[in-house]
Amino acid sequence: MKFAIFGDIHGNIEALQAAYDAAGRAGAEKIYHLGDLGGYSPFVNEVVSFLTEHGIEGVQGNYDEAVANDREHCGCKAEEPLQEEMAHRSFAWTKSHVLPATKAFMKNLPVEITFTAEGRKIWLFHATPKKNNLYWFEDRPGKFFREMAEKGDADIMVYGHTHKPYRKEVGGKVFINAGSVGKPKDGDPRACVALIDITPQDVKAEFMRVPYDVEKAAEAIVAHGLPPYFAERLKEAR
Ligand SMILES: [Fe+2]
């Protein structure tokens, strides 16, 4: 089975459209998203409409949970005061622009999805199995990977939240961070789509990098009254 994963779309409809087209060209039989549908870019309602129209199922991210429940904070971690201030402005903007239907969609997203392919159990969630805003980077010690795997009985775990893709095997389990469609932070501004191919022998993960009009997406951020800070970061992929 070959399926595509759309991590952290974050209101970027241009990137989502390009990712969808690329997943189709690559022969993905099914697409899932990993939540965090709004924030930083303005097209949160359009992203939700697109997912609905195309029947793309997925899980709830910390941003979705926070927007849907009118939280005070998105639950994202800031490394410095400017980032914290900008994150707050993005969150406030998003909360004030989501349509009721968008909020309802976010509220109803499941926190996890499991399914089986080729006899292997796959487990999708936003960040980690029990906490949806913990950053699970590739350089976490093996102990951390094992502890997370013990929270379920899956063979393959797929998640996002850090916006930095990787595939790793620890203790016979496969861990795939799908990266981010709409806001990569690994220095490559192209949309990232994880293409996962499960055969009886193997679990392959390819991180397709999909070009799209980043300049247009960056201009839309500014034009809609979001901080230009996010336009710059989109272009620099950080
Ligand atoms: Fe997130």
Side-chain angles (χ1 to χ4, degrees):
M1 183 200 182
K2 201 188 254 189
F3 60 100
I5 301 288
F6 292 175
D8 297 72
I9 300 163
H10 283 299
N12 189 338
I13 193 72
E14 294 284 334
L16 175 58
Q17 180 68 62
Y20 182 79
D21 295 343
R25 284 195 302 273
E29 294 157 58
K30 175 115 181 140
I31 302 172
Y32 294 94
H33 72 79
L34 296 178
D36 274 14
L37 307 176
Y40 315 118
S41 283
F43 302 109
V44 57
N45 297 309
E46 289 81 354
V47 164
V48 166
S49 296
F50 189 99
L51 297 175
T52 306
E53 275 165 33
H54 294 86
I56 299 172
E57 291 172 52
V59 295
Q60 186 183 59
N62 57 297
Y63 218 97
D64 311 314
E65 192 279 335
V67 168
N69 294 293
D70 291 312
R71 306 270 185 233
E72 286 301 308
H73 198 280
C74 63
C76 326
K77 190 183 72 186
E79 278 138 23
E80 28 104 14
L82 175 65
Q83 194 182 10
E84 174 67 26
E85 185 200 327
M86 292 298 142
H88 189 75
R89 282 172 61 183
S90 158
F91 186 56
W93 188 100
T94 305
K95 281 198 294 183
S96 67
H97 286 79
V98 280
L99 297 170
T102 301
K103 273 176 86 170
F105 181 91
M106 290 172 165
K107 203 164 193 155
N108 290 324
L109 287 168
V111 295
E112 60 187 357
I113 291 177
T114 56
F115 60 94
T116 302
E118 304 290 352
R120 298 174 204 252
K121 189 169 174 189
I122 298 115
W123 189 11
L124 311 180
F125 43 80
H126 177 66
T128 69
K130 303 290 170 198
K131 203 169 184 307
N132 77 352
N133 68 343
L134 196 62
Y135 293 84
W136 188 351
F137 291 107
E138 188 174 8
D139 61 359
R140 289 254 189 195
K143 184 170 172 283
F144 184 90
F145 282 79
R146 287 174 212 273
E147 282 169 5
M148 291 298 129
E150 281 165 14
K151 295 184 190 297
D153 62 352
D155 305 296
I156 305 162
M157 281 142 274
V158 185
Y159 45 90
H161 185 60
T162 65
H163 303 204
K164 291 184 177 181
Y166 63 83
R167 179 197 185 281
K168 198 160 168 160
E169 278 188 47
V170 180
K173 309 270 187 180
V174 179
F175 301 86
I176 299 168
N177 187 311
S180 169
V181 165
K183 198 183 187 310
K185 291 185 188 172
D186 62 350
D188 185 342
R190 295 173 297 173
C192 183
V193 174
L195 191 67
I196 301 175
D197 191 3
I198 303 176
T199 65
Q201 298 78 29
D202 202 5
V203 179
K204 291 196 189 80
E206 181 194 344
F207 302 106
M208 298 193 295
R209 299 314 286 250
V210 185
Y212 72 98
D213 197 339
V214 178
E215 199 61 46
K216 184 178 170 191
E219 280 168 16
I221 289 172
V222 180
H224 284 77
L226 276 155
Y229 172 90
F230 294 115
E232 290 310 311
R233 289 179 81 101
L234 188 70
K235 289 191 272 189
E236 291 165 11
R238 64 187 182 93

